[in-house]
Amino acid sequence: MKKVDLSIDFLGVHCENPFFLSSSPVCHNYEMISKAFDAGWGGVFYKTVGVFIADECSPRFDTHRKEGTPFIGFKNMEQISEYSWQENAEIIKKLKKDYPTKVMGVSIMGSNEEEWALLAREMTKAGADILELNFSCPQMTSHAMGSDVGQNTELVEKYTRIVCENTHVPVIAKMTPNITHIEVPSIAAKKGGAAAVSAINTIKSICGIDVENMCGRPVVNGVSSISGYSGAAVKPIALRFIAQLKQHPELQGFPVSGIGGVETWQDAVEFLLLGAENIQVTTAVMQYGYRIVEDLKEGLAFFMEEHGYTSLRDFIGKAVPNIIPCENLDRSFQIVPKIDYDKCVGCGRCYTSCFDGSHQAIDWDADKHRPTITDRCVGCHLCLNVCPVKDCITPGEIKFKKGKEAHEVKIQHDFDYLP
Amino acid sequence: MTQVRKLAYGEKSEPAYDVRLAMQEAARCLLCIDAPCSQDCPVGTNPSKFIRSIRFRNFKGAAKTIRENNILGASCGKICPQERLCEKGCSRCGIDKPIQIGRLQSFAMEQEKIFGMKVLEKAPSCGKKVACIGAGPSSLGAAAELAKRGVAVTIFDENKEPGGLLRYGITPSRLDDATIDQDIAAIKELGVTFEQNHKVSREEVAELAKKFDAVYVGVGLSTSKVLKFVKGWDKQGVDTALNFLKNARVKNGQIGDLGKVVIIGGGDVAMDCASTAKQLGAKSVNVVFIETMEEMPASKKELDYITELGVPVLPFFKPLEIKGESKVEAISFASMDDESQVTFKADTVIFAVGQAPTEGFADLKQDGNIFLGGDMVVSRGRTVVESVQSGKEAAFAIADFLKI
């Protein structure tokens, strides 16, 4: 493989690659972050520093499982740093000295104007390359902090402005998804002087109930709380928020750092295609360790080589114009699936789902265990999505609706697409 | 009734993973720290790294990890006895069953082919040239390692196609030509040249040693042993394992009627002979060996494979006499404790009782710029992967000798 350049200048800060640890349990001290840097991460957003010092509960994590797979969603009740801002400043200084080429983003959170100003000044002094404002932690023990602030545009703008007045480094506002329109507080942050936003922080959740204790999980002495949900399961929600940020007229050209369920380089490419210029990861690191950055970087490099890209900017944002309102979709055709009977194992999943969940458009030959797609097919592709055999049911004939003129139609690639 | 599997000659014995199946298997991997699988490979392949790459959808990276380390990565994925190497240590054994590392390796190497990846590139010349005798696993391993250091390597080999034992001593159901060719192509990418149909005699070794800066002799154990204490060993219808397998491969299975076949030996080569005979339509196939089931040298995978094909095995019996006029008609055995005797009707008897050095090379010693390796001196016919490692090590010694 040729050497592919994964570097990017993000907010004027040179990053050797776009992969950063997000502000979270994975980066709260020197040993962790030095190990992560050695493993190849381009930078970190240091776990949120506050004047407030967190007092944590036990247990504090829970998972959302799916049969036979590692967990797909993760619930976290940890708040911000357990160390004083002075202790954190010392750690940040040492990291900046020992790893001068890595990017030290520092997440901060105040509960009033004075605290925000103090943290901005002190973390800048400690050597932060970027300040990220945590307006979005959904499990703070104080309503003057976290996602309650992030839902209040006045506070977002005010606190952003105060931070910007107290630092010379770029400022990113980290947004909460626990809101209908993430663009609104993001515009407020921009007005306050933020150089970018990062999205999304975790989603308020209850992962599950302990039915014997009749209590949400994790069970903290018989009770539990709503708190932030993350991991692979939230990626679709994160992508949606990022697309909305990139498409808003008042946010054109306003950079975004993407967060939410990134495990593989392919996930990262999806965020980049929707316009993210930086990728933040936590849950996959909690699950698998810092080492995942090896495959993130190598996989991304192979992807770029394959497509002839020489820089991340060659493809960042390329999918943004292709997310359009529902009312603008071309509804003139139906793509009828085709079944490869050499591959079909005769399980009947397509038939069951089509009958019970769609348009009863698959006939079932009970003797031969063979499905046949009929004229009732509306081209919904439920069968294709439930079929367990790779490339058995694929997009087939394109039928144009009555009175519609035939034209070229782009076909979706299989998720497990390989050339 | 037990169902016996039917498999045509050359038909793949194991379906390849597609991407979904590979992801499912990779997701079973525990992604261990200090993974035991990565400590048990004779050639130092790092399965934990390439499985992790698969798990995180970096398929090309997985192929790169394998190819950089093992020049016969595609072939080894298919034929290594993983259950006694990498899979033996798999932590997942403590839960249910080990990760199918060989099949994941084959999946990864398939990506190399699909994407037309060229993992290894020709190195700048170091001005030295080395001859490798034999185009089997150890010689290929040595040649690749030397070529990576900029040595101009020429391989001399008696067969029509390179691969040695890979191509002529293993059934194509387990290892097809396309897979061998993929590995050979990677070696050619490194700039190694092949002189096929060139049988190097013992005398020619000295000549080559003058023409080249060094010579690597990796001619292996190309002669099958025959147990001459068995009366009637020279009758018509008696064959040796390697001869039988090679003949079948060269003629693509068109080797005439085998009739009833008895195979003597309990190693992987004997298992390959048994499956081949079965696939070629033998009336019956029996495998008899002197070891107990616990001691038999064949890998469990190979034993299971012939069992699936309906071949019975008889452990703990030694051959006594091959009967018949000029042609084989029957063969008798006695149990190792001499308690019982058994006679099989037979038209073909195949000795698969180990191999001997290639004719004329048995007493060759390492001397001056002549280096030895592979089955002949180190790996002793154990596994392909051990031969590759032996070739690699010889290449390191040659590199030291040439001061490169």
Side-chain angles (χ1 to χ4, degrees), chain B residues 321-378:
Chain B
E321 187 183 355
I322 297 168
K323 296 168 182 165
E325 292 292 319
S326 60
K327 241 182 117 296
V328 177
E329 287 170 19
I331 176 165
S332 61
F333 294 86
S335 62
M336 294 299 285
D337 56 13
D338 291 317
E339 282 294 319
S340 57
Q341 286 205 4
V342 63
T343 302
F344 292 92
K345 282 207 164 170
D347 305 291
T348 306
V349 169
I350 299 169
F351 279 105
V353 291
Q355 285 98 250
T358 303
E359 218 182 318
F361 285 83
D363 59 338
L364 189 66
K365 294 271 175 301
Q366 193 141 323
D367 182 30
N369 66 346
I370 298 171
F371 293 79
L372 310 186
D375 271 353
M376 213 170 107
V377 287
V378 183

Side-chain angles (χ1 to χ4, degrees), chain B residues 2-47:
Chain B
T2 308
Q3 216 169 22
V4 167
R5 184 176 172 204
K6 298 250 185 284
L7 199 71
Y9 184 69
E11 193 183 337
K12 281 194 179 129
S13 64
E14 195 172 65
Y17 278 155
D18 65 24
V19 54
R20 282 192 196 179
L21 296 171
M23 288 301 295
Q24 275 176 25
E25 191 61 14
R28 286 181 64 239
C29 173
L30 305 178
L31 304 176
C32 309
I33 189 161
D34 296 329
C37 59
S38 295
Q39 281 146 36
D40 277 335
C41 177
V43 76
T45 296
N46 188 348

Side-chain angles (χ1 to χ4, degrees), chain A residues 263-266 288 291-292 294-295 298 302 306 387-390 415-416 418-419, chain B residues 18-20 31-32 49 52-53 55-61 64 111 114-115 117:
Chain A
E263 282 189 357
T264 70
W265 63 271
Q266 209 166 317
Y288 303 111
R291 56 190 174 168
I292 63 167
E294 295 164 20
D295 290 305
E298 197 177 56
F302 274 124
E306 205 174 302
C387 177
V389 182
K390 172 145 172 65
F415 174 75
D416 288 319
L418 289 169
Chain B
D18 65 24
V19 54
R20 282 192 196 179
L31 304 176
C32 309
K49 180 157 170 60
R52 176 151 53 91
S53 289
R55 165 65 186 80
F56 291 100
R57 306 190 77 86
N58 177 15
F59 304 138
K60 288 181 169 180
K64 184 166 166 267
Q111 308 313 308
I114 291 171
F115 286 101
M117 289 173 71

Side-chain angles (χ1 to χ4, degrees), chain A residues 98-281:
Chain A
D98 293 350
Y99 294 92
T101 62
K102 302 284 184 176
V103 179
M104 278 302 301
V106 177
S107 173
I108 57 173
M109 182 196 281
S111 64
N112 56 41
E113 296 172 35
E114 290 71 34
E115 286 183 12
W116 282 105
L118 168 89
L119 293 166
R121 275 195 310 273
E122 294 301 331
M123 293 307 117
T124 305
K125 219 191 284 172
D129 296 304
I130 300 173
L131 290 179
E132 188 185 62
L133 315 186
N134 186 339
F135 292 138
S136 43
C137 176
Q139 57 253 15
M140 294 303 294
T141 51
S142 156
H143 295 289
M145 292 183 281
S147 63
D148 288 343
V149 174
Q151 291 162 348
N152 181 328
T153 50
E154 277 170 41
L155 286 179
V156 167
E157 184 175 341
K158 183 169 76 176
Y159 289 151
T160 307
R161 180 163 293 121
I162 288 164
V163 170
C164 291
E165 284 166 1
N166 284 281
T167 185
H168 61 273
V169 301
V171 171
I172 306 179
K174 184 167 177 178
M175 309 316 290
T176 177
N178 300 300
I179 190 168
T180 312
H181 292 288
I182 203 168
E183 306 92 299
V184 177
S186 300
I187 291 166
K190 188 183 173 201
K191 281 186 188 153
V197 289
S198 47
I200 56 175
N201 205 321
T202 56
I203 303 168
K204 286 187 179 183
S205 70
I206 297 173
C207 239
I209 301 289
D210 175 336
V211 294
E212 298 302 329
N213 277 311
M214 297 190 184
C215 167
R217 293 183 299 145
V219 177
V220 181
N221 194 16
V223 292
S224 195
S225 299
I226 289 170
S227 74
Y229 186 58
S230 63
V234 311
K235 190 185 85 175
I237 298 162
L239 290 175
R240 164 234 159 177
F241 276 120
I242 288 165
Q244 286 181 331
L245 284 168
K246 294 310 292 186
Q247 291 187 331
H248 196 281
E250 288 183 49
L251 294 171
Q252 289 310 297
F254 192 55
V256 173
S257 170
I259 317 171
V262 171
E263 282 189 357
T264 70
W265 63 271
Q266 209 166 317
D267 298 328
V269 167
E270 292 171 20
F271 277 82
L272 294 166
L273 284 168
L274 278 179
E277 297 172 30
N278 175 266
I279 303 292
Q280 299 190 35
V281 184

Side-chain angles (χ1 to χ4, degrees), chain B residues 248-378:
Chain B
R249 186 105 182 202
V250 169
K251 294 180 180 159
N252 196 23
Q254 306 299 314
I255 56 169
D257 189 8
L258 294 166
K260 293 180 171 157
V261 179
V262 175
I263 293 151
I264 305 167
D268 285 336
V269 176
M271 302 300 117
D272 270 356
C273 289
S275 62
T276 301
K278 193 77 185 173
Q279 288 173 302
L280 296 181
K283 264 198 205 101
S284 67
V285 181
N286 280 282
V287 177
V288 187
F289 47 90
I290 58 171
E291 297 91 351
T292 60
M293 289 305 282
E294 289 82 356
E295 292 162 342
M296 86 180 279
S299 73
K300 185 176 178 299
K301 200 161 78 178
E302 296 319 310
L303 175 64
D304 288 348
Y305 173 46
I306 68 154
T307 307
E308 261 181 53
L309 294 175
V311 176
V313 300
L314 179 61
F316 211 53
F317 271 75
K318 58 189 172 195
L320 291 180
E321 187 183 355
I322 297 168
K323 296 168 182 165
E325 292 292 319
S326 60
K327 241 182 117 296
V328 177
E329 287 170 19
I331 176 165
S332 61
F333 294 86
S335 62
M336 294 299 285
D337 56 13
D338 291 317
E339 282 294 319
S340 57
Q341 286 205 4
V342 63
T343 302
F344 292 92
K345 282 207 164 170
D347 305 291
T348 306
V349 169
I350 299 169
F351 279 105
V353 291
Q355 285 98 250
T358 303
E359 218 182 318
F361 285 83
D363 59 338
L364 189 66
K365 294 271 175 301
Q366 193 141 323
D367 182 30
N369 66 346
I370 298 171
F371 293 79
L372 310 186
D375 271 353
M376 213 170 107
V377 287
V378 183

Side-chain angles (χ1 to χ4, degrees), chain B residues 35-37 40 82-93 98:
Chain B
C37 59
D40 277 335
Q82 286 95 5
E83 83 276 10
R84 49 185 157 98
L85 300 170
C86 50
E87 289 176 9
K88 190 180 70 182
C90 178
S91 301
R92 184 95 209 185
C93 296

Side-chain angles (χ1 to χ4, degrees), chain B residues 15-331:
Chain B
Y17 278 155
D18 65 24
V19 54
R20 282 192 196 179
L21 296 171
M23 288 301 295
Q24 275 176 25
E25 191 61 14
R28 286 181 64 239
C29 173
L30 305 178
L31 304 176
C32 309
I33 189 161
D34 296 329
C37 59
S38 295
Q39 281 146 36
D40 277 335
C41 177
V43 76
T45 296
N46 188 348
S48 68
K49 180 157 170 60
F50 77 70
I51 297 170
R52 176 151 53 91
S53 289
I54 294 172
R55 165 65 186 80
F56 291 100
R57 306 190 77 86
N58 177 15
F59 304 138
K60 288 181 169 180
K64 184 166 166 267
T65 295
I66 297 165
R67 179 62 80 200
E68 281 176 345
N69 181 69
N70 182 354
I71 195 65
L72 298 184
S75 298
C76 285
K78 297 204 165 150
I79 54 160
C80 261
Q82 286 95 5
E83 83 276 10
R84 49 185 157 98
L85 300 170
C86 50
E87 289 176 9
K88 190 180 70 182
C90 178
S91 301
R92 184 95 209 185
C93 296
I95 301 175
D96 50 6
K97 55 181 188 192
I99 305 304
Q100 302 269 296
I101 298 174
R103 294 176 80 179
L104 285 175
Q105 179 162 335
S106 294
F107 169 78
M109 294 317 287
E110 192 62 24
Q111 308 313 308
E112 182 193 55
K113 201 156 71 179
I114 291 171
F115 286 101
M117 289 173 71
K118 302 208 184 314
V119 174
L120 305 174
E121 281 170 24
K122 199 172 167 178
S125 169
C126 71
K128 302 286 182 190
K129 47 182 192 168
V130 171
C132 290
I133 305 175
S138 87
S139 216
L140 295 172
E145 206 53 47
L146 289 165
K148 284 183 195 171
R149 289 167 161 72
V151 175
V153 182
T154 308
I155 291 182
F156 297 89
D157 184 61
E158 62 176 317
N159 289 307
K160 186 162 161 262
E161 301 284 345
L165 198 83
L166 288 176
R167 201 179 298 266
Y168 298 105
I170 293 173
T171 139
S173 284
R174 291 208 291 131
L175 183 58
D176 54 311
D177 280 347
T179 303
I180 303 166
D181 292 342
Q182 187 185 343
D183 285 337
I184 301 290
I187 297 166
K188 287 183 177 165
E189 283 295 327
L190 283 168
V192 173
T193 53
F194 288 83
E195 263 205 53
Q196 295 302 132
N197 298 311
H198 183 143
K199 189 177 167 74
V200 175
S201 64
R202 175 67 190 271
E203 295 69 44
E204 203 185 340
V205 175
E207 287 168 38
L208 289 173
K210 280 180 208 146
K211 280 193 221 152
F212 288 82
D213 296 304
V215 175
Y216 174 73
V217 184
V219 294
L221 304 171
S222 67
T223 319
S224 271
K225 283 184 192 157
V226 170
L227 302 177
K228 295 192 177 170
F229 63 79
V230 180
K231 270 188 250 164
W233 66 270
D234 52 355
K235 286 197 199 305
Q236 198 189 328
V238 177
D239 204 349
T240 60
L242 291 184
N243 192 54
F244 172 71
L245 291 172
K246 184 173 177 177
N247 197 21
R249 186 105 182 202
V250 169
K251 294 180 180 159
N252 196 23
Q254 306 299 314
I255 56 169
D257 189 8
L258 294 166
K260 293 180 171 157
V261 179
V262 175
I263 293 151
I264 305 167
D268 285 336
V269 176
M271 302 300 117
D272 270 356
C273 289
S275 62
T276 301
K278 193 77 185 173
Q279 288 173 302
L280 296 181
K283 264 198 205 101
S284 67
V285 181
N286 280 282
V287 177
V288 187
F289 47 90
I290 58 171
E291 297 91 351
T292 60
M293 289 305 282
E294 289 82 356
E295 292 162 342
M296 86 180 279
S299 73
K300 185 176 178 299
K301 200 161 78 178
E302 296 319 310
L303 175 64
D304 288 348
Y305 173 46
I306 68 154
T307 307
E308 261 181 53
L309 294 175
V311 176
V313 300
L314 179 61
F316 211 53
F317 271 75
K318 58 189 172 195
L320 291 180
E321 187 183 355
I322 297 168
K323 296 168 182 165
E325 292 292 319
S326 60
K327 241 182 117 296
V328 177
E329 287 170 19
I331 176 165

